[in-house]
Amino acid sequence: MSIYMRRVTELSVKGARVVLQGAIAKAEAMGIPQCVAVVDRGGNLLVFERMDGAKLHSQFTAIQKAYTAVSARVATGQLPFELAVGIALASGDRFATIAGGLPIMLDGEIIGAIGVGSGTDEEDIEVAEAGIAALKAVIDN
Amino acid sequence: MSIYMRRVTELSVKGARVVLQGAIAKAEAMGIPQCVAVVDRGGNLLVFERMDGAKLHSQFTAIQKAYTAVSARVATGQLPFELAVGIALASGDRFATIAGGLPIMLDGEIIGAIGVGSGTDEEDIEVAEAGIAALKAVIDN
Amino acid sequence: MSIYMRRVTELSVKGARVVLQGAIAKAEAMGIPQCVAVVDRGGNLLVFERMDGAKLHSQFTAIQKAYTAVSARVATGQLPFELAVGIALASGDRFATIAGGLPIMLDGEIIGAIGVGSGTDEEDIEVAEAGIAALKAVIDN
Amino acid sequence: MSIYMRRVTELSVKGARVVLQGAIAKAEAMGIPQCVAVVDRGGNLLVFERMDGAKLHSQFTAIQKAYTAVSARVATGQLPFELAVGIALASGDRFATIAGGLPIMLDGEIIGAIGVGSGTDEEDIEVAEAGIAALKAVIDN
């Protein structure tokens, strides 16, 4: 492989479905209707689901959280407010300042991300973590 | 009814007119020109009125407040500033951070929302409440 | 039920999943990677999937086609070009002028819509029809 | 490798530099100031250069052409006008209808794209082709 390109690993739509289903199952168990989005390493949407009763505007925030997590390669909602808003404004609203987005890592490499919205910060994160755990479970098997 | 769809109740345009007229009557009694918007449960505009003398930008905020109230299913302007701004940015400006939007509930189900803008927070809320009260009055009869 | 509201039927997320899966199965059988979006009767996104290899920009067009089909209550891409573009511009790009969006009707009432993008017009429509057929099949059983 | 992810090849920034330099060298030889953009397979910008004298708006069209070429996996500007405009409108202006964007393929797989703007269609395409040829030359060695 030349230096002019690189081999990278990317979440497939089948992998994204596993993440989504793991997240939805968790949200159902918690009794919290959620919006869940999964993006690939380029930030492009792979799968999305809005549970009955989830907030309407969360259809947009879930996707933006997933995009931000894959973009920044860390959980969303961690930066000081003024800096985070500054990045959001300077990027044409391509940066979520709020919690609920988590990168999906594999062997130290980023392969995609999940974004969850409609609950509290803690609920969103718990659901996102469950989605990632579901993927790890099927990969480890 | 199968699990693949659900029966829901939605404000009709006749119901929306009642909400609007109740709100406008209250604003006139208060001597405060207002913009009033009523949306259905999907966040789509049903009726709108801008009273003579109401602020121009409030034609937009009233609609956004109504959308936000139906989306979040609670009164607008209640969240901490940083979280509210974060949601607004992450949803592509589909979330009003300010007061004046109220969900319209019926038997615990959301059927629409009203948004009012051009007065103070207190005035906007009072007018919105009057709109909802007008609907309750005709329904109870 | 009073005249102030109306009882309507809306696709649930479970119903949307059936539509999505029917569409994806068809696209897989055709060997055409597609983006598929399903919205509820208010035009809000319920489920989405982008198959591996589908065009990136179709993640946006599929959603817009579904929105347009539920909004106009007819298949997208049927209007004369100049009129369709005019509506798209006048609605702030909330109207798809191209084929691939179909309304989902039940007993003459609109309950949601599907939008498909990444293939030719004919392929997109065929996949959308398969999604709707999958829903009809489970409802009739 | 599991079905849940896939190994893909992506242009590195070193590869993108080769494409850019090949394109710029060609534009200089032609005496035509150009804007040149190179994106990775996710449609995200890797390198960009606006030569002295190139048109200002071409800083935007070059990037959009590159995005479109990697998204659609074919050269831009090939579709019938009405369809291309329809896709542009339905994707929120994420689709260039004009020529000057070319996908960069390697062994049948898309690894990125180049977009060139500020000349005529023919000049833009010639410069884009020169960029890709420069990459092929260093890879084949």
Side-chain angles (χ1 to χ4, degrees), chain B residues 8-114:
Chain B
V8 295
T9 303
E10 178 165 83
L11 202 58
S12 70
V13 70
K14 283 199 170 71
R17 279 182 203 149
V18 173
V19 175
L20 180 77
Q21 287 160 1
I24 296 291
K26 181 68 172 181
E28 286 174 345
M30 296 166 70
I32 311 283
Q34 291 277 23
C35 291
V36 179
V38 181
V39 300
D40 65 19
R41 66 193 305 283
N44 295 297
L45 190 62
L46 278 169
V47 293
F48 171 86
E49 192 165 307
R50 179 167 62 87
M51 294 167 66
D52 296 336
K55 295 164 187 163
L56 297 185
H57 64 261
S58 301
Q59 71 188 288
F60 306 105
T61 62
I63 295 173
Q64 194 71 306
K65 289 174 185 182
Y67 174 86
T68 303
V70 89
S71 175
R73 290 145 202 264
V74 292
T76 63
Q78 313 252 48
L79 291 182
F81 178 71
E82 297 190 2
L83 176 56
V85 168
I87 296 172
L89 291 171
S91 62
D93 278 341
R94 289 182 184 85
F95 188 87
T97 67
I98 51 179
L102 293 181
I104 305 174
M105 312 295 295
L106 185 75
D107 300 331
E109 187 188 1
I110 190 155
I111 61 170
I114 179 174

Side-chain angles (χ1 to χ4, degrees), chain D residues 6 36 41 45 68 88 102 109 119 124 139:
Chain D
R6 47 185 190 151
V36 180
R41 67 192 305 283
L45 190 61
T68 303
L102 293 181
E109 187 187 1
D124 291 352
I139 289 176

Side-chain angles (χ1 to χ4, degrees), chain A residues 52-100:
Chain A
D52 295 335
K55 295 166 186 163
L56 297 185
H57 63 263
S58 301
Q59 69 188 289
F60 306 106
T61 62
I63 295 174
Q64 196 68 307
K65 289 175 184 182
Y67 176 85
T68 304
V70 88
S71 174
R73 287 145 204 266
V74 292
T76 63
Q78 313 251 48
L79 292 182
F81 177 70
E82 296 190 3
L83 175 56
V85 168
I87 297 173
L89 292 172
S91 62
D93 278 342
R94 289 183 185 85
F95 187 88
T97 67
I98 50 179

Side-chain angles (χ1 to χ4, degrees), chain A residues 11-14 17 24 28 40 43-52 56 59 63, chain C residues 11-14 17 24 28 40 43-52 56 59 63:
Chain A
L11 201 59
S12 70
V13 71
K14 283 199 171 71
R17 281 180 199 154
I24 295 292
E28 287 174 345
D40 65 20
N44 294 296
L45 189 62
L46 280 170
V47 294
F48 171 88
E49 191 165 308
R50 179 167 59 88
M51 293 167 66
D52 295 335
L56 297 185
Q59 69 188 289
I63 295 174
Chain C
L11 200 59
S12 70
V13 70
K14 281 198 173 70
R17 281 180 199 152
I24 295 292
E28 287 174 345
D40 64 20
N44 293 297
L45 189 62
L46 280 170
V47 294
F48 171 88
E49 190 165 309
R50 178 167 57 89
M51 294 167 67
D52 296 334
L56 297 185
Q59 70 189 287
I63 295 173

